[in-house]
Protein backbone atom coordinates (compact mmCIF):
# COMPACT_ATOMS: atom_id res chain seq x y z
CA UNK A 1 0.00 0.00 0.00
CA UNK A 2 1.17 3.53 -0.62
CA UNK A 3 2.80 5.44 2.18
CA UNK A 4 2.27 8.97 0.94
CA UNK A 5 -0.84 10.56 -0.46
CA UNK A 6 -0.84 13.95 -2.12
CA UNK A 7 -3.64 16.46 -1.95
CA UNK A 8 -5.09 17.88 -4.07
CA UNK A 9 -4.90 15.47 -7.00
CA UNK A 10 -4.99 18.42 -9.38
CA UNK A 11 -4.41 22.14 -8.96
CA UNK A 12 -4.79 24.92 -11.50
CA UNK A 13 -3.65 28.47 -10.73
CA UNK A 14 -2.65 31.67 -12.50
CA UNK A 15 0.95 32.49 -13.20
CA UNK A 16 2.45 34.47 -10.35
CA UNK A 17 0.27 32.89 -7.68
CA UNK A 18 1.58 30.55 -5.03
CA UNK A 19 0.89 26.81 -5.22
CA UNK A 20 0.60 24.60 -2.17
CA UNK A 21 0.53 20.83 -2.29
CA UNK A 22 0.17 18.51 0.67
CA UNK A 23 1.37 15.03 1.45
CA UNK A 24 0.15 12.78 4.23
CA UNK A 25 1.73 9.51 5.24
CA UNK A 26 0.82 6.69 7.56
CA UNK A 27 3.84 5.60 9.55
CA UNK A 28 6.96 7.11 11.07
CA UNK A 29 9.61 8.16 8.59
CA UNK A 30 13.28 9.06 8.51
CA UNK A 31 13.09 11.32 5.46
CA UNK A 32 10.57 12.71 3.04
CA UNK A 33 11.40 13.76 -0.50
CA UNK A 34 9.61 15.77 -3.15
CA UNK A 35 10.01 15.14 -6.89
CA UNK A 36 8.73 16.85 -10.02
CA UNK A 37 7.74 15.10 -13.23
CA UNK A 38 7.15 16.87 -16.50
CA UNK A 39 4.66 15.08 -18.69
CA UNK A 40 5.86 11.54 -19.40
CA UNK A 41 9.45 12.31 -18.41
CA UNK A 42 11.67 11.11 -15.60
CA UNK A 43 11.22 12.38 -12.06
CA UNK A 44 13.53 15.10 -10.87
CA UNK A 45 14.47 15.46 -7.21
CA UNK A 46 13.47 18.76 -5.59
CA UNK A 47 14.07 18.56 -1.84
CA UNK A 48 14.81 16.04 0.89
CA UNK A 49 13.70 16.90 4.40
CA UNK A 50 14.72 14.80 7.38
CA UNK A 51 12.42 13.89 10.23
CA UNK A 52 14.23 16.22 12.63
CA UNK A 53 13.76 19.20 10.31
CA UNK A 54 10.62 21.32 10.21
CA UNK A 55 11.22 23.49 7.19
CA UNK A 56 13.53 23.65 4.21
CA UNK A 57 13.94 26.11 1.36
CA UNK A 58 15.34 25.84 -2.14
CA UNK A 59 14.88 28.85 -4.39
CA UNK A 60 11.12 29.37 -4.79
CA UNK A 61 10.36 26.08 -3.04
CA UNK A 62 9.50 25.77 0.62
CA UNK A 63 8.86 22.40 2.24
CA UNK A 64 7.49 21.90 5.71
CA UNK A 65 7.26 18.70 7.70
CA UNK A 66 4.98 18.04 10.67
CA UNK A 67 5.80 14.62 12.04
CA UNK A 68 3.09 14.85 14.70
CA UNK A 69 0.47 15.16 11.95
CA UNK A 70 2.39 12.91 9.55
CA UNK A 71 2.16 15.50 6.84
CA UNK A 72 4.30 17.66 4.61
CA UNK A 73 3.58 20.55 2.30
CA UNK A 74 5.35 21.91 -0.75
CA UNK A 75 4.92 25.59 -1.50
CA UNK A 76 5.96 27.04 -4.84
CA UNK A 77 6.01 30.81 -4.72
CA UNK A 78 5.54 33.16 -7.68
CA UNK A 79 4.60 30.30 -10.00
CA UNK A 80 5.70 30.21 -13.63
CA UNK A 81 4.37 28.35 -16.65
CA UNK A 82 7.44 26.12 -16.47
CA UNK A 83 6.28 24.86 -13.05
CA UNK A 84 3.46 22.99 -14.79
CA UNK A 85 4.17 19.37 -13.87
CA UNK A 86 3.18 16.58 -11.49
CA UNK A 87 4.65 16.68 -8.01
CA UNK A 88 5.24 13.59 -5.90
CA UNK A 89 6.16 13.05 -2.31
CA UNK A 90 8.14 9.96 -1.39
CA UNK A 91 8.86 8.45 1.98
CA UNK A 92 10.85 5.55 3.33
CA UNK A 93 8.02 3.05 3.62
CA UNK A 94 7.56 1.60 7.07
CA UNK A 95 11.28 1.92 7.77
CA UNK A 96 12.02 -0.43 4.91
CA UNK A 97 14.92 0.15 2.59
CA UNK A 98 12.98 1.70 -0.23
CA UNK A 99 11.28 4.87 -1.29
CA UNK A 100 7.50 4.77 -1.66
CA UNK A 101 5.83 7.34 -3.89
CA UNK A 102 2.41 8.90 -3.65
CA UNK A 103 0.19 9.32 -6.70
CA UNK A 104 1.10 12.93 -7.19
CA UNK A 105 -0.49 16.34 -7.60
CA UNK A 106 -0.91 17.57 -11.14
CA UNK A 107 -0.17 21.31 -11.18
CA UNK A 108 -1.17 23.53 -14.08
CA UNK A 109 0.01 27.13 -14.26
CA UNK A 110 -2.17 29.25 -16.54
CA UNK A 111 -0.51 32.20 -18.28
CA UNK B 1 27.11 15.10 -16.75
CA UNK B 2 25.62 12.80 -14.13
CA UNK B 3 22.83 10.83 -15.69
CA UNK B 4 20.80 7.67 -15.95
CA UNK B 5 20.35 6.56 -19.53
CA UNK B 6 17.47 4.35 -20.58
CA UNK B 7 16.83 2.88 -24.00
CA UNK B 8 14.66 2.75 -25.93
CA UNK B 9 12.40 5.73 -25.23
CA UNK B 10 9.44 4.10 -26.96
CA UNK B 11 8.83 0.44 -27.66
CA UNK B 12 5.90 -1.33 -29.27
CA UNK B 13 5.94 -5.09 -29.26
CA UNK B 14 3.64 -8.09 -29.43
CA UNK B 15 2.66 -10.54 -26.76
CA UNK B 16 5.33 -13.14 -26.04
CA UNK B 17 8.24 -11.50 -27.83
CA UNK B 18 11.15 -11.18 -25.42
CA UNK B 19 12.52 -7.70 -24.91
CA UNK B 20 15.15 -5.89 -22.89
CA UNK B 21 15.14 -2.31 -21.70
CA UNK B 22 18.63 -1.08 -20.94
CA UNK B 23 19.67 1.23 -18.13
CA UNK B 24 23.08 2.68 -17.47
CA UNK B 25 24.33 5.22 -14.92
CA UNK B 26 27.63 7.10 -14.88
CA UNK B 27 27.71 8.08 -11.20
CA UNK B 28 29.22 4.90 -9.75
CA UNK B 29 26.04 4.33 -7.75
CA UNK B 30 25.63 0.98 -6.10
CA UNK B 31 21.84 1.21 -5.78
CA UNK B 32 19.69 0.86 -8.90
CA UNK B 33 15.99 0.25 -9.28
CA UNK B 34 13.21 -0.20 -11.81
CA UNK B 35 9.73 1.33 -11.46
CA UNK B 36 6.62 1.22 -13.54
CA UNK B 37 4.13 4.07 -13.62
CA UNK B 38 0.47 3.53 -14.38
CA UNK B 39 -2.44 5.99 -14.20
CA UNK B 40 -4.12 5.82 -10.82
CA UNK B 41 -1.47 3.51 -9.41
CA UNK B 42 1.52 5.81 -9.19
CA UNK B 43 5.07 4.50 -9.26
CA UNK B 44 5.59 0.93 -8.19
CA UNK B 45 8.95 -0.71 -7.70
CA UNK B 46 9.68 -3.78 -9.81
CA UNK B 47 13.20 -4.82 -8.80
CA UNK B 48 16.17 -3.20 -7.17
CA UNK B 49 19.86 -3.92 -6.74
CA UNK B 50 22.29 -2.83 -4.05
CA UNK B 51 25.43 -4.15 -5.69
CA UNK B 52 26.81 -6.22 -8.52
CA UNK B 53 25.16 -9.65 -8.60
CA UNK B 54 22.75 -8.58 -5.81
CA UNK B 55 19.13 -8.10 -6.87
CA UNK B 56 15.86 -8.20 -4.99
CA UNK B 57 12.16 -8.09 -5.73
CA UNK B 58 10.14 -4.95 -5.32
CA UNK B 59 6.37 -4.70 -5.12
CA UNK B 60 5.47 -5.95 -8.60
CA UNK B 61 8.21 -8.33 -9.84
CA UNK B 62 6.02 -10.88 -11.63
CA UNK B 63 6.82 -11.19 -15.31
CA UNK B 64 10.13 -9.34 -15.07
CA UNK B 65 13.78 -10.25 -14.70
CA UNK B 66 16.83 -8.13 -14.04
CA UNK B 67 20.56 -8.65 -13.95
CA UNK B 68 23.45 -6.69 -12.46
CA UNK B 69 26.67 -7.96 -13.96
CA UNK B 70 28.36 -4.57 -13.86
CA UNK B 71 27.84 -1.68 -11.48
CA UNK B 72 26.78 0.77 -14.17
CA UNK B 73 24.19 -1.39 -15.98
CA UNK B 74 20.85 -2.75 -14.80
CA UNK B 75 18.76 -4.11 -17.70
CA UNK B 76 15.08 -5.00 -17.33
CA UNK B 77 14.04 -8.14 -19.17
CA UNK B 78 10.53 -9.17 -20.13
CA UNK B 79 10.80 -12.80 -21.22
CA UNK B 80 7.21 -13.08 -22.44
CA UNK B 81 5.52 -9.68 -22.40
CA UNK B 82 1.78 -9.44 -21.93
CA UNK B 83 -0.62 -6.52 -22.50
CA UNK B 84 -0.84 -5.83 -18.75
CA UNK B 85 2.83 -4.87 -18.88
CA UNK B 86 2.00 -1.91 -21.07
CA UNK B 87 3.30 0.93 -18.95
CA UNK B 88 5.84 3.73 -18.52
CA UNK B 89 9.06 2.34 -17.06
CA UNK B 90 11.75 4.19 -15.16
CA UNK B 91 15.21 3.22 -14.08
CA UNK B 92 16.71 5.05 -11.11
CA UNK B 93 19.94 5.06 -9.15
CA UNK B 94 21.12 6.41 -5.82
CA UNK B 95 24.30 6.94 -3.86
CA UNK B 96 22.51 5.57 -0.81
CA UNK B 97 22.03 1.83 -0.54
CA UNK B 98 18.65 2.21 1.12
CA UNK B 99 17.63 4.79 -1.50
CA UNK B 100 15.99 6.83 1.22
CA UNK B 101 18.75 9.04 2.62
CA UNK B 102 19.83 10.49 -0.70
CA UNK B 103 17.99 11.49 -3.82
CA UNK B 104 17.13 9.15 -6.64
CA UNK B 105 18.32 9.97 -10.15
CA UNK B 106 15.79 8.89 -12.77
CA UNK B 107 16.15 7.99 -16.41
CA UNK B 108 13.90 9.61 -19.03
CA UNK B 109 11.57 6.66 -19.15
CA UNK B 110 10.55 3.93 -21.60
CA UNK B 111 6.98 3.87 -22.84
CA UNK B 112 6.19 0.25 -23.57
CA UNK B 113 3.13 -0.95 -25.43
CA UNK B 114 2.44 -4.68 -25.66
CA UNK B 115 -0.15 -5.58 -28.29
Amino acid sequence: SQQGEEDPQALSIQEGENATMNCSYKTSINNLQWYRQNSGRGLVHLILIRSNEREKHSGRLRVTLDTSKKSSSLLITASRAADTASYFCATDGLGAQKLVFGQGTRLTINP
Amino acid sequence: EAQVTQNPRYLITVTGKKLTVTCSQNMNHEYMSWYRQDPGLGLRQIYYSMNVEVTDKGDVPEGYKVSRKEKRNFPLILESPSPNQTSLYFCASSLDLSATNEKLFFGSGTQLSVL
Side-chain angles (χ1 to χ4, degrees), chain B residues 3-17:
Chain B
Q3 60 184 4
V4 177
T5 303
Q6 272 181 250
N7 280 298
R9 178 76 178 95
Y10 300 95
L11 181 57
I12 300 174
T13 189
V14 294
T15 299
K17 187 175 181 181

Side-chain angles (χ1 to χ4, degrees), chain B residues 87-102:
Chain B
S87 186
L88 180 57
Y89 291 86
F90 290 103
C91 180
S93 73
S94 174
L95 188 61
D96 173 43
L97 285 179
S98 72
T100 60
N101 296 315
E102 297 289 338

Side-chain angles (χ1 to χ4, degrees), chain B:
Chain B
E1 180 190 355
Q3 60 184 4
V4 177
T5 303
Q6 272 181 250
N7 280 298
R9 178 76 178 95
Y10 300 95
L11 181 57
I12 300 174
T13 189
V14 294
T15 299
K17 187 175 181 181
K18 181 179 178 180
L19 66 91
T20 300
V21 184
T22 64
C23 174
S24 179
Q25 50 91 7
N26 64 358
M27 295 167 281
N28 203 35
H29 287 168
E30 294 191 8
Y31 181 93
M32 297 186 75
S33 180
W34 277 101
Y35 292 86
R36 61 177 288 175
Q37 184 178 29
D38 302 286
L41 297 175
L43 271 88
R44 294 179 291 168
Q45 190 180 49
I46 303 171
Y47 268 96
Y48 65 96
S49 169
M50 291 198 287
N51 210 335
V52 174
E53 304 291 0
V54 178
T55 63
D56 218 336
K57 295 178 181 178
D59 298 316
V60 287
E62 295 78 22
Y64 303 95
K65 284 176 59 177
V66 292
S67 71
R68 189 89 182 273
K69 293 185 171 60
E70 309 161 279
K71 185 183 272 193
R72 64 183 292 122
N73 295 323
F74 190 45
L76 179 69
I77 303 153
L78 284 72
E79 296 260 351
S80 183
S82 62
N84 65 12
Q85 292 178 299
T86 291
S87 186
L88 180 57
Y89 291 86
F90 290 103
C91 180
S93 73
S94 174
L95 188 61
D96 173 43
L97 285 179
S98 72
T100 60
N101 296 315
E102 297 289 338
K103 62 183 178 182
L104 277 172
F105 290 80
F106 280 83
S108 296
T110 296
Q111 181 64 61
L112 172 65
S113 294
V114 183
L115 307 177

Side-chain angles (χ1 to χ4, degrees), chain A residues 31-87:
Chain A
N31 307 301
L32 184 144
Q33 303 185 35
W34 284 92
Y35 288 81
R36 183 187 74 227
Q37 183 183 33
N38 290 92
S39 181
R41 308 300 295 184
L43 280 72
V44 174
H45 181 265
L46 296 175
I47 284 184
L48 182 152
I49 187 166
R50 305 193 187 279
S51 59
N52 62 353
E53 297 176 309
R54 290 296 166 259
E55 189 170 311
K56 209 161 182 179
H57 297 255
S58 177
R60 293 183 295 112
L61 307 181
R62 172 178 167 249
V63 168
T64 60
L65 179 64
D66 187 334
T67 53
S68 66
K69 295 181 179 177
K70 293 186 172 58
S71 67
S72 174
S73 67
L74 170 66
L75 168 67
I76 303 174
T77 60
S79 63
R80 306 167 182 169
D83 294 327
T84 293
S86 292
Y87 292 81

Side-chain angles (χ1 to χ4, degrees), chain A residues 6-13 20-21 85-86 104-108:
Chain A
E6 290 90 344
D7 172 63
Q9 290 188 351
L11 179 62
S12 181
I13 61 173
T20 300
M21 289 156 274
S86 292
T105 291
R106 190 169 61 253
L107 174 65
T108 302

